Amino acid sequence: MTNDSESDVDDTPVHRYGAALARSIEAKWQDRWETDRTFWTPNPAGRLLDEPNADRAALPKLFVLDMFPYPSGAGLHVGHPLGFIGTDVYARFQRMNGHNVLHAMGMDAFGLPAEQYAVQTGTHPAVTTEANITTYRRQLRQLGLGHDPRRGVSTTDVHYYRWTQWIFLQIFNAWYDRSADRARHVDELDAELGAGTRLPDDDGAPWAERNALERRAYIDSKRLAYVGEAPVNWCPGLGTVLANEEVTADGRSERGNFPVYKRPLKQWMMRITEYADRLLADLDDLDWTESIKLMQRNWIGRSEGARVDFEVVGHDQAISVFTTRPDTLFGATYMVLAPEHDLVDHIVPNDWPDGSDLVDVDTGRLGNWRGVFGAARTPAEAVHAYREFAAAKSDLERTSDSREKTGVFTGAFAINPTNGAVIPIFIADYVLMGYGTGAIMAVPAQDERDWEFAEAFDLPILRTVQPPDGWDGKAFAGDGPAINSHNDAVNLDGLGVADAKRTIIQWLETTGAGEGTVNYKLRDWLFSRQRYWGEPFPIVYDEHGPRALPESMLPVELPEIADFAPTTSDDPDALPAPPLARAEQWVDVELDLGEGPRVYRREVNTMPQWAGSCWYYLRYLDPTNEDAMVDRSTEQYWSRTPDGQLGNGTVDLYVGGVEHAVLHLLYSRFWHKVLYDLGWVSTPEPFQRLYNQGYIQAYAYTDERGMYVEASEVDERDSTFWHDGVEVKREYGKIGKSLKNVVTPDEMCEDYGADTFRMYEMFMGPLDQSRPWNTRDVVGVHRFLQRLWRNCIDESTGAARVSEASAPDELRRALHKTIDALRTDYPALGFNTAIARLFELNNALTKHVEAAGAAPREVAEAMILMVAPLAPHVAEELWERMGNHGSLAYSSFPVADPTLLIDDTVEVPCQINGKVRAKLVVAADIDATALEAAAKADPKVAEHLAGKTIVKAIVVPGRLVNFVIKP
RNA sequence: GCCCGAGUGGUGGAAUGGCAGACACGGCGGAUUCAAAAUCCGCUGCUCGAAAGGGCGUGUGGGUUCGACUCCCACCUCGGGCACCA
């Protein structure tokens, strides 16, 4: 439809607040903030102590942080900036509330997509990354976020990753002193070993008798960053190995959904397990949601129990198991090792045992034990066949195979230390090598899995906990008195589970058959990736192993190479091939590491994307420091609480998505604790208050073929949806190209302005909840800003229209109640209700302006200051037009007059039997007696009470009256 | 399977023991307009009633209480996390 009539008259007032005016105001103030350095946040000393805000360093600090974004090629959609706007509103409020607020935004710019794009197009990842960062910065700038532009570091910047490498060196050069329960420099370990004040704990020769290589191997084995050969998650589809945290429950890569295989490979590991206890315990002092704490607790997976050693018949090596139920030890009727357990090959006998003295040959039990694999002539063959069977199963099959128990008898036997019972040893894939010792004692009577296995293999079941009456007969894992659990030295019978555990652990420790222990699910962090676009390790190899480069040789810059692609494959047996290995000129390097110039080979793996994001918040504090990761006194300033004490966590408020619950947040806490132990930072935790913003999703529409149609072209008619004359079905999902439902901040800024967009995102609902985007609703907040503008500005002249007359009492009271509400809502991030309060006040102000012709200055100015955190551009403009000079960014937030918060009269509901029948207007300070009398005097109430008996009268002054009556 | 979280009008949501549905969208009616709306005003939970007024109502069923969206128990549905973790 075109409208080409020449006679069209646009009678919209010239100075009405619409999209065009909003855009011009926003551009003006964004430029002004930039040239005036409005959001340059001063450090107390040293670098970044600049005018114009230098004196603010004397104020209490507040460190507000967003999880920094990965700048993807697609740019931002409306879902991305939700948290960024939230922190900006909070930061702007706190600036007006007397804090020196640090708020900045960097870029987490290493990562796979740029590398994959590079592979497809031949563009260098650095070029792609820079272009994407430019787009992101432009998109973020137009939102009017009050970031300090000097602090927005990029992880790909060599001035940044030089310090990522430096931190790696700190970790590499540290070991965990369990007696002191903290990390220390390995030089101290070396010194103590040399002085004999500490003894090596590896059963090797005395320290003095070891040669230099042996000593080096020992020290290397203690480092917090080490090269380990362990079964790792190898993802040939991505051409790289992955951390446990990056693999989904069904055995696929979180990114790309490729199959992942366990393969023993030599890789860099970080000894995060040494911090398991502290990572767990220190959660208690953090202001995080319980659900995130719970996810971390579950991931760390601490469980208390015991290690028990079982002698193997005919061998001198014992099998150690971990159990959380040592109280059931008497009921252990067989053992199971993980198929890949080291001891399996040692204990497997040459031939199947002669079963005559061990089992009842008539029942054929030994045959059952052998299972389907036992047809093999020898145990070794059976074990081999089973291992092949188990290894061929992917993790997905292993979990989806309805958990049917499979396994094979090894032909070997162990001895139950409590009663000397000779029990068979199996291998089965329901025992995992990666947890505990990779071996279990099986107690079918009290463990469901063991019960299932025992049934399948016809193994004996001995109850050692009395199940309750009426128990249906399967494994009983609950509490109850111990039975069948005594020998000459210890008697558990009759004890409850907890007491029985305590007693048996004591016995185990006395006899040396075991000890109480704690076990964790958490594994060491696999830290190397076979990728190009990541931080190179500051490591070279000599013929004996890894050597750290000295700090003076940092940074180790990424070399230029022709082909960035990781070598990907469908073949699970393909080997990792790091792209950096192709940089032959770079790999072999002549260095003097103290023994004269020699040729070394560089580490060709790179660090995972998590490395750069582990510590970026620290670099925000001192981004230009070339001498240190962060200056100590600067770090301490930003770590102090308002009362001057060093805080528990450096960042006061951290906002980001819940998807980082165990990945980034665990790794980052770990690095921070290492840096804390080594004296580089002064708080034990990085993030004091964590807030998880929800997600914005959007409707998507499919036609009759199930194809997505462009969501912006769909019309709604009476709850049905139409695209191009065809009815379509509405769905709901992630914003993205594939669902054809992308809405960008750029469109919103174009159509309504950034202030409207910001405010709409904050008004949609509580910040921590997910909700659907609905462009139709945006107009509501736009109208609000338009009315606010009209209340302050003459739409025909553009001049301010305020009166110096004082506001009427009712309006003034409404103002102060709003101030009071906002001072509660803003710190609590309750922006949706804050906005509702502002709407109400503005509606009241509008009524007044309609009647009186102008807004009283006291109301208008307070209103502008209160709106400023949410809609800063229009607030600045109004503030200026009202005759104020300079930015309002640091103006004081209005303070409510407490005397105006209390009304003279209040409306009190009066209920009869819990139903509201009347509303009484009474003096606010009326007492109960008078209130009850007033209620009875109300004609409506009197009518209901007439002829009835009042059984009870509940009178709550100022709240309500309730009469309980009967006929 | 286990562990968390959430279910309120047509829609987003408000109210954390005391008037359910603030605020906003949409809808309806009116003003303005040749016509419009990113303008202004009014109404808008469902239901019975001409009205006055009444009844019902926060996933379902029970309970505690003078009073429950709110607290307790059981269940249903949806979302998230973990998943043979000994």
Side-chain angles (χ1 to χ4, degrees):
Chain A
M1 237 181 302
T2 55
N3 192 342
D4 54 3
S5 166
E6 288 288 315
S7 66
D8 269 11
V9 179
D10 186 357
D11 58 358
T12 303
V14 187
H15 297 278
R16 172 162 292 173
Y17 184 83
L21 181 57
R23 283 202 308 273
S24 72
I25 290 172
E26 285 159 13
K28 167 184 163 183
W29 284 98
Q30 283 159 15
D31 291 346
R32 183 87 68 88
W33 294 330
E34 189 172 295
T35 52
D36 290 354
R37 304 172 172 186
T38 305
F39 297 107
W40 285 28
T41 303
N43 281 345
R47 296 159 208 86
L48 310 195
L49 176 61
D50 301 282
E51 297 299 333
N53 303 317
D55 56 337
R56 294 190 66 81
L59 297 170
K61 69 90 190 189
L62 193 81
F63 190 176
V64 179
L65 184 71
D66 299 277
M67 290 186 187
F68 65 166
Y70 174 79
S72 79
L76 293 173
H77 62 63
V78 292
H80 291 120
L82 182 68
F84 304 161
I85 297 169
T87 50
D88 189 53
V89 176
Y90 180 78
R92 285 176 180 271
F93 168 73
Q94 294 293 16
R95 276 188 202 104
M96 299 174 76
N97 199 25
H99 288 90
N100 188 28
V101 178
L102 195 161
H103 193 205
M105 180 152 296
M107 294 286 154
D108 188 16
F110 275 126
L112 201 55
E115 189 172 286
Q116 286 173 331
Y117 187 76
V119 171
Q120 288 160 20
T121 64
T123 318
H124 194 283
V127 174
T128 314
T129 301
E130 202 183 315
N132 292 351
I133 288 176
T134 304
T135 305
Y136 262 61
R137 293 249 174 253
R138 179 189 61 73
Q139 288 188 300
L140 290 169
R141 186 180 188 272
Q142 75 182 345
L143 300 179
L145 304 171
H147 296 148
D148 183 340
R150 302 165 302 170
R151 299 177 187 260
V153 298
S154 165
T155 54
T156 50
D157 186 341
V158 68
H159 299 285
Y160 180 85
Y161 74 68
R162 171 222 169 115
W163 293 105
T164 310
Q165 292 171 335
W166 180 86
I167 295 170
F168 178 87
L169 289 180
Q170 305 312 305
I171 300 171
F172 179 79
N173 286 320
W175 61 293
Y176 204 83
D177 180 351
R178 292 187 187 177
S179 52
D181 203 19
R182 67 178 188 87
R184 298 170 62 194
H185 198 282
V186 285
D187 287 353
E188 295 176 33
L189 174 62
D190 197 32
E192 288 182 14
L193 289 162
T197 52
R198 180 178 292 273
L199 299 174
D201 58 4
D202 63 349
D203 307 325
W207 193 251
E209 292 169 22
R210 300 190 188 194
N211 65 32
L213 274 179
E214 287 167 342
R215 291 182 178 189
R216 176 176 157 191
Y218 181 83
I219 298 281
D220 281 354
S221 76
K222 295 294 171 190
R223 294 176 187 275
L224 290 184
Y226 64 99
V227 178
E229 176 148 15
V232 299
N233 304 296
W234 164 235
C235 180
L238 290 174
T240 187
V241 295
L242 298 169
N244 286 348
E245 291 81 359
E246 294 170 298
V247 180
T248 62
D250 53 358
R252 303 183 81 90
S253 61
E254 197 171 61
R255 184 159 265 186
N257 202 34
F258 295 104
V260 170
Y261 305 88
K262 285 276 184 207
R263 291 286 178 273
L265 293 170
K266 266 197 175 167
Q267 298 291 336
W268 281 98
M269 309 288 287
M270 291 229 169
R271 219 177 285 280
I272 190 172
T273 48
E274 291 288 1
Y275 283 84
D277 247 336
R278 286 165 61 190
L279 289 168
L280 187 69
D282 291 354
L283 284 172
D284 294 343
D285 296 325
L286 297 176
D287 305 321
W288 296 15
T289 58
E290 270 312 304
S291 67
I292 296 279
K293 288 188 185 183
L294 201 69
M295 279 191 237
Q296 292 224 342
R297 287 191 188 111
N298 288 343
W299 194 262
I300 294 165
R302 182 182 199 272
S303 51
E304 289 182 11
R307 191 202 81 231
V308 184
D309 299 329
F310 285 70
E311 277 177 46
V312 181
V313 175
H315 288 264
D316 47 10
Q317 254 170 316
I319 298 174
S320 281
V321 304
F322 172 75
T323 176
T324 55
R325 292 296 302 275
D327 61 298
T328 64
L329 188 47
F330 283 89
T333 53
Y334 65 100
M335 298 189 77
V336 186
L337 303 185
E340 58 272 51
H341 197 289
D342 283 344
L343 276 180
V344 174
D345 291 329
H346 293 96
I347 62 169
V348 168
N350 291 329
D351 297 299
W352 293 110
D354 173 7
S356 58
D357 57 337
L358 295 164
V359 293
D360 182 351
V361 176
D362 294 335
T363 65
R365 261 190 189 161
L366 188 56
N368 267 2
W369 289 6
R370 293 196 196 177
V372 293
F373 298 92
R377 285 190 314 274
T378 65
E381 280 179 29
V383 164
H384 180 74
Y386 184 73
R387 280 177 165 170
E388 295 222 310
F389 161 79
K393 275 206 259 182
S394 71
D395 280 3
L396 180 59
E397 287 168 328
R398 217 162 145 158
T399 45
S400 65
D401 270 4
S402 70
R403 313 213 161 159
E404 198 181 313
K405 294 292 177 288
T406 61
V408 64
F409 178 44
T410 60
F413 294 87
I415 296 168
N416 185 327
T418 56
N419 54 15
V422 174
I423 59 176
I425 304 169
F426 288 77
I427 59 172
D429 65 0
Y430 85 93
V431 172
L432 309 173
M433 195 57 224
Y435 184 75
T437 61
I440 62 157
M441 64 177 209
V443 188
Q446 275 85 230
D447 183 285
E448 205 179 312
R449 297 153 297 179
D450 296 344
W451 181 288
E452 285 170 15
F453 191 86
E455 278 195 327
F457 286 81
D458 212 0
L459 288 155
I461 295 170
L462 173 66
R463 288 206 185 273
T464 57
V465 177
Q466 182 65 53
D469 288 345
W471 182 252
D472 70 0
K474 297 258 178 186
F476 174 67
D479 202 350
I483 52 173
N484 302 322
S485 298
H486 61 273
N487 60 26
D488 294 344
V490 64
N491 183 1
L492 306 180
D493 290 345
L495 297 178
V497 169
D499 288 338
K501 280 183 184 173
R502 221 170 292 129
T503 310
I504 194 73
I505 286 172
Q506 225 164 45
W507 179 81
L508 284 168
E509 287 174 356
T510 319
T511 60
E515 60 178 345
T517 54
V518 174
N519 195 46
Y520 299 92
K521 251 169 78 176
L522 184 70
R523 308 257 59 88
D524 276 345
W525 174 18
L526 186 132
F527 194 72
S528 36
R529 298 292 183 278
Q530 289 73 42
R531 287 194 188 149
Y532 172 74
W533 195 228
E535 300 87 347
F537 283 76
I539 291 286
V540 294
Y541 291 86
D542 62 21
E543 63 274 29
H544 303 296
R547 297 280 300 269
L549 295 176
E551 280 179 43
S552 60
M553 291 187 187
L554 299 184
V556 178
E557 292 196 49
L558 262 179
E560 294 297 323
I561 57 172
D563 178 10
F564 320 108
T567 311
T568 60
S569 167
D570 298 330
D571 177 8
D573 296 321
L575 285 173
L580 286 187
R582 295 177 218 137
E584 285 153 23
Q585 306 285 309
W586 177 82
V587 170
D588 292 313
V589 57
E590 191 179 85
L591 301 169
D592 185 347
L593 296 181
E595 301 117 51
R598 289 185 49 190
V599 174
Y600 297 91
R601 186 173 165 78
R602 288 192 192 272
E603 171 64 58
V604 292
N605 288 299
T606 52
M607 299 188 199
Q609 196 177 356
W610 312 109
S613 60
C614 264
W615 72 284
Y616 67 107
Y617 58 95
L618 292 172
R619 195 61 179 172
Y620 283 4
L621 305 180
D622 199 5
T624 58
N625 194 335
E626 291 295 320
D627 305 317
M629 168 185 76
V630 52
D631 173 75
R632 281 315 305 274
S633 65
T634 298
E635 185 271 328
Q636 288 191 4
Y637 169 78
W638 289 107
S639 297
R640 283 185 204 285
T641 56
D643 59 9
Q645 302 300 303
L646 284 171
N648 180 53
T650 305
V651 175
D652 297 283
L653 174 67
Y654 193 23
V655 175
V658 71
E659 71 272 19
H660 293 111
V662 287
L663 288 155
H664 160 62
L665 289 171
L666 199 63
Y667 299 148
S668 195
R669 291 180 66 214
F670 163 53
W671 275 33
H672 193 93
K673 285 185 183 301
V674 176
L675 293 171
Y676 174 71
D677 285 354
L678 298 176
W680 299 111
V681 299
S682 40
T683 57
E685 284 285 335
F687 315 118
Q688 183 56 39
R689 179 181 175 199
L690 174 71
Y691 190 93
N692 296 112
Q693 95 269 11
Y695 295 96
I696 294 180
Q697 300 194 309
Y699 295 114
Y701 303 87
T702 50
D703 62 18
E704 70 282 359
R705 297 166 303 168
M707 304 293 285
Y708 286 99
V709 302
E710 189 56 48
S712 57
E713 297 165 2
V714 171
D715 297 317
E716 180 177 355
R717 289 179 226 151
D718 297 328
S719 308
T720 60
F721 303 93
W722 299 81
H723 177 258
D724 220 2
V726 180
E727 184 167 2
V728 290
K729 224 170 72 186
R730 187 163 83 166
E731 296 177 9
Y732 178 58
K734 276 186 185 163
I735 296 179
K737 261 190 255 175
S738 55
L739 300 191
K740 292 193 180 173
N741 60 354
V742 177
V743 184
T744 64
D746 304 44
E747 295 167 51
M748 290 300 111
C749 291
E750 174 71 20
D751 295 347
Y752 298 96
D755 283 329
T756 297
F757 173 67
R758 291 168 56 105
M759 223 163 154
Y760 172 63
E761 292 235 334
M762 295 300 99
F763 183 59
M764 291 168 81
L767 197 56
D768 58 355
Q769 268 176 39
S770 295
R771 66 281 320 258
W773 176 267
N774 210 341
T775 301
R776 194 176 69 179
D777 295 349
V778 175
V779 67
V781 285
H782 189 68
R783 280 182 196 147
F784 162 79
L785 292 175
Q786 203 169 57
R787 281 173 208 157
L788 175 64
W789 178 268
R790 186 160 46 230
N791 284 335
C792 301
I793 299 289
D794 185 319
E795 287 190 329
S796 55
T797 66
R801 188 177 61 164
V802 287
S803 77
E804 305 303 328
S806 60
D809 188 59
E810 204 180 333
L811 184 61
R812 184 182 284 163
R813 283 176 186 275
L815 169 66
H816 284 261
K817 283 178 188 168
T818 306
I819 295 169
D820 187 54
L822 263 56
R823 279 190 167 273
T824 307
D825 284 346
Y826 272 135
L829 309 177
F831 303 132
N832 56 326
T833 48
I835 292 169
R837 297 286 94 77
L838 288 167
F839 279 6
E840 285 177 308
L841 180 62
N842 194 44
N843 290 344
L845 179 61
T846 302
K847 287 237 172 10
H848 175 83
V849 171
E850 276 168 10
R857 182 177 289 275
E858 61 173 306
V859 180
E861 292 201 339
M863 183 87 190
I864 289 161
L865 292 172
M866 288 193 288
V867 167
L870 293 154
H873 312 87
V874 67
E876 292 270 26
E877 184 67 21
L878 289 170
W879 189 245
E880 187 178 71
R881 291 198 190 196
M882 294 205 148
N884 300 291
H885 297 286
S887 172
L888 51 59
Y890 299 102
S891 299
S892 292
F893 198 85
V895 179
D897 178 348
T899 63
L900 293 172
L901 302 177
I902 303 151
D903 288 317
D904 297 339
T905 60
V906 287
E907 196 182 67
V908 176
C910 181
Q911 303 179 333
I912 312 290
N913 285 346
K915 288 190 195 302
V916 177
R917 297 299 182 184
K919 290 172 184 179
L920 315 165
V921 178
V922 293
D925 56 355
I926 194 170
D927 65 19
T929 320
L931 180 58
E932 185 174 345
K936 283 177 177 163
D938 183 273
K940 231 172 143 207
V941 176
E943 194 183 315
H944 277 94
L945 293 178
K948 308 280 167 54
T949 314
I950 297 173
V951 179
K952 194 170 180 181
I954 294 98
V955 183
V956 185
R959 299 295 294 190
L960 98 167
V961 181
N962 185 14
F963 292 111
V964 184
I965 60 171
K966 63 178 187 188

